[in-house]
Amino acid sequence: VQLQASGGGLVQPGGSLRLSCAAAGSFFSINDMGWYRQAPGKQRELVAAITSGGSTNYADTVKGRFTISRDNAKNTVYLQMNSLKPEDTANYYCNARIVVPTFPPKEYDYWGQGTLVTVSS
């Protein structure tokens, strides 16, 4: 199983970006999915998460600006980022808890490779 993230880049303050992360491989189901970020010299932090049923939660620093969503048919999670600020600059990582076809089936934690978001004028 692999998670492939895309959509990062350079954007001016106040701009928008949309990140995508698709799961590929052999698995039964995807449970929680989320986005984390890590800025230089800082610890990785949760940005937003979404359950398989669509319930969401957000870090206080992004509430009202970022929206997480998922397309279960495409095994993909998205992060729409609006009103971006310089302090949003970081590597963004997607995460998913995926049930794989072992016997018995077991849930594992998977990470994408990271996509860099730079907010600067």
Side-chain angles (χ1 to χ4, degrees):
V1 177
Q2 289 187 330
L3 296 180
Q4 182 66 44
S6 61
L10 173 64
V11 63
Q12 292 187 340
S16 297
L17 279 176
R18 188 192 195 207
L19 306 183
S20 300
C21 177
S26 179
F27 51 86
F28 283 145
S29 61
I30 303 176
N31 294 328
D32 294 353
M33 304 183 84
W35 289 94
Y36 291 72
R37 67 185 180 187
Q38 186 167 20
K42 294 189 177 181
Q43 289 188 330
R44 190 173 295 189
E45 62 176 0
L46 175 67
V47 176
I50 185 167
T51 68
S52 57
S55 296
T56 59
N57 69 284
Y58 297 90
D60 287 343
T61 52
V62 306
K63 281 181 181 177
R65 299 189 297 122
F66 291 10
T67 302
I68 189 170
S69 61
R70 63 191 285 171
D71 185 333
N72 291 329
K74 295 182 178 179
N75 300 317
T76 300
V77 62
Y78 305 96
L79 186 67
Q80 178 67 42
M81 304 184 294
N82 299 328
S83 303
L84 281 160
K85 304 175 181 180
E87 51 263 44
D88 295 318
T89 295
N91 267 306
Y92 283 71
Y93 299 89
C94 59
N95 170 266
R97 296 181 178 176
I98 299 176
V99 180
V100 297
T102 53
F103 187 77
K106 187 173 181 180
E107 180 185 89
Y108 288 93
D109 216 18
Y110 290 90
W111 291 90
Q113 83 281 13
T115 184
L116 180 61
V117 172
T118 303
V119 185
S120 175
S121 54

